[in-house]
Amino acid sequence: MEVMHWWTSGGEAAAVGKFAEALNERTEHTWIDGAIAGGGDTARPVMVSRIIGGDPPAAFQFNHGRQAEELIEAGLMLDLTDVAEAEGWKDIVNPSSLLDACTYEGRIYCAPVNIHSWQWMWLSNDAYEQAGVEVPTNWSEFMETAPALREAGIVPLAMGGQSWQQSGAFGVMAIALAGEEAWLAVNRDKDADVVMGPEYTRVFEAFGAARELAEGLDVQDWNQATNAVIEDTAGAQIMGDWAQGEFAVAGEVAGEDYSCLAGLGETGVLSTGGDAFYFPVTGDPEVEAAQKELAALLLSPEVQVAFNSAKGSLPIRGDVDLTSVNECTEVGLQLLADGKTLPDGNMLLSPDTTTQTNDLMTEFWNTPSMTPAEVQERYAEIIRNAD
């Protein structure tokens, strides 16, 4: 069974290997790895091309949300409702919004496998020790300590060159600095007036400051930026909890080698995005049976624990126990248990709108002459016309 995905960093490869192991050892099928380097923006068009070109894989990874909506509408995705009902997914998937994101006109078309949240900042403890300052506990303190990092020859903020990284960091800053209500008004209600209001003005100004703090590190991939934090050449990175997989592969210990701030230390909340697997329609009953077997396997308790422990994400099952987790994962689990969650932006914005915001944020990031006020105006226009 060829399975396409974009998990190619060290931590990601270790995690997806848990899925492959489970399929190979527990079924009569064989996992053929179809990894595509370059992240989702690179991989998704390749996957879609394969599907509409009549050469689909057995399964493929997308994010929770609206990315596969057109494929479902075209009748190209396998209906998994019978698997979901037999396995009791409605009773075990937590939060329920993750299964809702797989549901179209009352039918279930994907298997959610994890909860990933963008709402994290990762900090190098040693970098701050070298700079002679305490590790920040919130965004304001991070800004105050940035000059000391510069003086010590350390780049304050690690940022890769891909548009989704810059746009994702902006989203984290929006929730942390503008607040949950303002963020929902923009992303859920498409309220452009809120974009132009004082809450979001603060965000755009902070994003402009972040652009300056990232100067001096020239990397492309997100895991290269994470590695700068691991090697203590950068002070911090705004990145989703998948970064923990990189820290784990490097032998880094949470609380000793690195620290984590949920919601930049300003807003304790998780955006509950993540990954799901879809299964193209093939017309072959044997392939369909194998696809449904894999779908059920991905949500089985043992596989959920093995995969998510390696990935740095949280399991989508509310009935499994991650007995040995680090303090950062504990924070995430507590936020989830307390219901401190928000839907991921991918669940609220169409792929077209997301592409527009990604393009705008990377243009701003790479154009020093563009002011925060200018990008704010253009962002408001995108939201005003969002679908």
Side-chain angles (χ1 to χ4, degrees), residues 4-137:
M4 299 183 76
H5 59 87
W6 57 79
W7 288 325
T8 57
S9 74
E12 291 172 326
V16 77
K18 301 299 183 182
F19 283 154
E21 271 178 35
L23 184 74
N24 294 340
E25 294 174 4
R26 303 186 189 192
T27 74
E28 297 178 355
H29 314 303
T30 303
W31 179 288
I32 304 299
D33 205 63
I36 301 173
D41 289 347
T42 300
R44 280 188 292 271
V46 176
M47 297 173 185
V48 171
S49 178
R50 283 278 305 272
I51 293 163
I52 64 177
D55 182 28
F60 64 96
Q61 166 210 3
F62 266 19
N63 297 121
H64 301 310
R66 299 176 60 183
Q67 292 174 351
E69 199 168 77
E70 292 182 358
L71 294 173
I72 295 170
E73 290 172 346
L76 297 173
M77 294 293 99
L78 184 64
D79 186 337
L80 300 175
T81 307
D82 57 342
V83 178
E85 291 176 349
E87 298 292 321
W89 287 0
K90 286 189 177 179
D91 297 323
I92 61 175
V93 174
N94 178 48
S96 59
S97 60
L98 299 181
L99 195 58
D100 292 341
C102 286
T103 305
Y104 182 79
E105 294 185 348
R107 310 298 292 178
I108 295 170
Y109 288 92
C110 68
V113 296
N114 61 8
I115 302 168
H116 262 319
S117 178
W118 253 104
Q119 309 304 311
W120 295 94
M121 174 179 265
W122 310 96
L123 307 105
S124 163
N125 290 356
D126 190 58
Y128 282 92
E129 187 175 337
Q130 289 178 46
V133 290
E134 294 292 322
V135 177
T137 61

Side-chain angles (χ1 to χ4, degrees), residues 148-216:
L149 291 175
R150 281 288 188 202
E151 238 178 89
I154 297 167
V155 175
L157 183 66
M159 179 69 74
Q162 295 159 322
S163 63
W164 66 268
Q165 296 180 57
Q166 293 129 25
S167 188
F170 175 81
V172 174
M173 295 171 72
I175 293 173
L177 303 179
E180 297 172 48
E181 287 187 17
W183 184 86
L184 284 169
V186 171
N187 291 270
R188 181 191 60 198
D189 305 332
K190 315 299 187 292
D191 191 333
D193 291 337
V194 174
V195 176
M196 296 305 299
E199 295 93 346
Y200 261 70
T201 296
R202 182 189 179 197
V203 179
F204 283 102
E205 290 174 350
F207 196 55
R211 178 175 62 181
E212 296 177 12
L213 297 182
E215 291 176 2

